[in-house]
Amino acid sequence: MFAVVSTATATLCLAGWFRFGTAPVLLAWCWACALGGGLALTDLRCRRLPFPLVAAFAGGGMVALLGAAVIEERWSQLGFACGAAVAVFALAALVQAWAPNHTGGGDTALYGALALYLGWFGLDGLLRGLLMASGLTAVVALVVAVCSRRMNSQFPAGPSLLAGALVAMLFS
């Protein structure tokens, strides 16, 4: 499984190079792919998204995006990305508080971290990314419910959230 994640990470980094070229945001992309692969693997194996790993995902992205903002003088993009991360995390925390049996704390933190990356691409990128991530997760939930014949089936949502957000970033 590690070989699959490593190969996927390398392939995604190469796709990012084709998409972003040598722009400083490429570092944030590669960090998202590398840590995202680790998060997805951890969630699939343990059904948990550990806060330290999600914090590393968000923190490394913040450092990379800060570097991109310094190099390209894109302070408004960085400000929007940070504001989006806080707003989406707060909204996800409200959803978790309202329906604690349907989402975990790691998923809540991951939504905020993904919003940081997606927010770099503006409001359209943020909304497109959240829609793709949530939509893919809903499709997975439907498939799991149909296959298990239970509407309250639990499944690791991290991989589908990450996949949807990464695809949206490539096309933003």
Side-chain angles (χ1 to χ4, degrees):
M1 187 61 122
F2 291 112
V4 172
V5 172
S6 297
T7 303
T9 299
T11 302
L12 286 170
C13 286
L14 182 61
W17 181 70
F18 283 117
R19 163 61 175 93
F20 303 114
T22 58
V25 75
L26 178 63
L27 179 60
W29 167 258
C30 290
W31 184 260
C33 292
L35 269 284
L39 280 165
L41 186 60
T42 301
D43 202 13
L44 286 170
R45 287 189 167 198
C46 304
R47 295 186 144 207
R48 303 204 69 68
L49 290 170
F51 287 114
L53 195 53
V54 176
F57 178 77
M62 182 62 203
V63 168
L65 292 175
L66 176 62
V70 167
I71 292 168
E72 297 182 329
E73 296 183 10
R74 295 193 177 189
W75 298 106
S76 61
Q77 278 182 268
L78 181 64
F80 183 80
C82 292
V86 170
V88 169
F89 174 76
L91 183 60
L94 284 174
V95 169
Q96 183 186 3
W98 181 60
N101 294 332
H102 294 284
T103 185
D107 298 328
T108 299
L110 183 59
Y111 263 112
L114 289 173
L116 174 70
Y117 290 93
L118 294 167
W120 179 262
F121 300 100
L123 182 60
D124 287 345
L126 175 67
L127 295 177
R128 184 181 308 112
L130 291 175
L131 181 63
M132 288 182 75
S134 299
L136 183 58
T137 303
V139 168
V140 170
L142 184 60
V143 169
V144 168
V146 167
C147 290
S148 68
R149 295 190 173 126
R150 291 180 33 217
M151 286 305 292
N152 61 351
S153 298
Q154 294 184 348
F155 67 98
S160 55
L161 289 173
L162 287 157
L166 289 174
V167 167
M169 282 191 273
L170 268 183
F171 295 104
S172 287

